[in-house]
Amino acid sequence: MQRMRGEEKWVQACLQAALPGIEVRRHDDGSQPGMHDFDLIRGIRRFAAVEVTAAADATLLELWKIMNGGGRWIHDGLAGGWLVTLLPSARAKRLRAELPGLLAELERMGAQQLREAHGPGEDIVDRAERLGVVSVYQSPATDFPGSIYCTIDLPPEQSGGWVADTGDAFSHWVSSWLREPSQADNLGKLRRSGATERHLFLLLPGFTTAPFDAFDPLMRPDGPLPVVAPSLPEEITHLWAMSTWNTGDGFHWAPDTGWTRFHKVNDVEPPP
């Protein structure tokens, strides 16, 4: 049996907490293609199938995973505590090879940001630009010597915007997103499950394809629930959604209760 991915473990824990008395049992064991992720069991009877997916920018998520997916990036010889902001076009392998040396030169200069580089530091600025580095900042103190933390410079429409009084923007966006060709595989898994209830669990990571007004209610503390019901493909009867940020609640839509919120389980490490 193949190992569960980190996001699947997190979803399983959140569903288990939100559905007391229900067993959230793994279904996709890798034994055959096209299996949905989980079954919901009441007593000894399965009553629902669950498929987990993410609205993620695949290119940005892959860059983030290469840079940070193996755990905290520690480079011996650095004081550390560096926060580095990257362009989406940055190449991870080149950064891995060249960024520590650039940061080491800044430390030798006593510069905590690129703009503090002086004299030969102009060459450092050029090198940073060629690496796709937007900015660097070194914290005055760190608990992890040699640490480098990378984030990606997102376009304005994904990183900020107008904050609404309801979560309707999420409901409208997800109704359209679920009908995109990229979701055909997930819909097919739920259709083939044969379950009466077919639940889709949607994760919105930091590098989501959702616009800010749709993403914001899910990452904001006490973010407002949508008022309007989603328009779901016939393969989906129930919808779950949550961001991978530490803040915010999850949203759940069911035909009999409408929109409700559920709390994230914090003792399981979420995905990026």
Side-chain angles (χ1 to χ4, degrees), residues 22-270:
I22 301 300
E23 179 187 357
V24 183
R25 181 184 298 172
R26 184 184 184 189
H27 176 77
D28 184 4
D29 59 4
S31 60
Q32 56 184 328
M35 301 176 72
H36 59 273
D37 291 306
F38 297 105
D39 289 322
L40 301 184
I41 311 293
R42 183 182 290 112
I44 60 173
R45 186 179 71 86
R46 182 191 80 159
F47 69 92
V50 181
E51 176 66 8
V52 181
T53 190
D57 185 310
T59 302
L60 298 187
L61 188 59
E62 185 62 23
L63 173 62
W64 192 98
K65 285 184 175 179
I66 292 173
M67 300 305 300
N68 299 287
R72 184 177 288 106
W73 185 5
I74 301 292
H75 186 83
D76 293 338
L78 285 178
W82 287 101
L83 175 63
V84 181
T85 302
L86 305 171
L87 290 173
S89 58
R91 299 178 62 179
K93 290 183 179 179
R94 185 176 179 187
L95 283 162
R96 278 283 188 182
E98 299 182 26
L99 182 60
L102 185 147
L103 298 177
E105 288 192 37
L106 288 173
E107 288 186 354
R108 284 194 291 270
M109 291 180 180
Q112 295 179 317
Q113 301 181 61
L114 282 172
R115 67 169 182 249
E116 296 175 0
H118 50 81
E122 293 179 1
D123 177 59
I124 289 182
V125 174
D126 292 339
R127 286 163 54 196
E129 290 179 353
R130 290 194 294 270
L131 286 174
V133 173
V134 177
S135 66
V136 301
Y137 172 75
Q138 185 182 33
S139 172
T142 179
D143 292 330
F144 301 98
S147 55
I148 305 171
Y149 305 92
C150 293
T151 187
I152 298 174
D153 192 35
L154 295 175
E157 63 271 17
Q158 288 182 258
S159 58
W162 179 69
V163 175
D165 294 329
T166 74
D168 286 353
F170 172 75
S171 186
H172 292 309
W173 169 80
V174 77
S175 298
S176 175
W177 183 82
L178 288 170
R179 287 177 166 79
E180 292 182 0
S182 60
Q183 295 312 300
D185 182 57
N186 293 316
L187 297 181
K189 290 178 182 180
L190 289 175
R191 182 176 60 252
R192 291 190 298 271
S193 73
T196 302
E197 291 186 15
R198 299 173 300 279
H199 297 228
L200 187 83
F201 200 114
L202 173 61
L203 291 169
L204 288 89
F207 310 120
T208 181
T209 54
F212 179 80
D213 59 350
F215 181 49
D216 171 69
L218 286 157
M219 67 176 181
R220 196 188 336 158
D222 299 318
L225 286 168
V227 176
V228 299
S231 175
L232 301 178
E234 63 181 2
E235 293 88 348
I236 301 173
T237 62
H238 295 66
L239 177 67
W240 303 76
M242 66 183 182
S243 81
T244 61
W245 289 58
N246 291 330
T247 55
D249 293 322
F251 292 175
H252 176 222
W253 188 87
D256 54 342
T257 60
W259 287 105
T260 56
R261 67 179 70 242
F262 65 94
H263 296 294
K264 299 174 185 176
V265 176
N266 294 321
D267 58 356
V268 179
E269 185 175 355

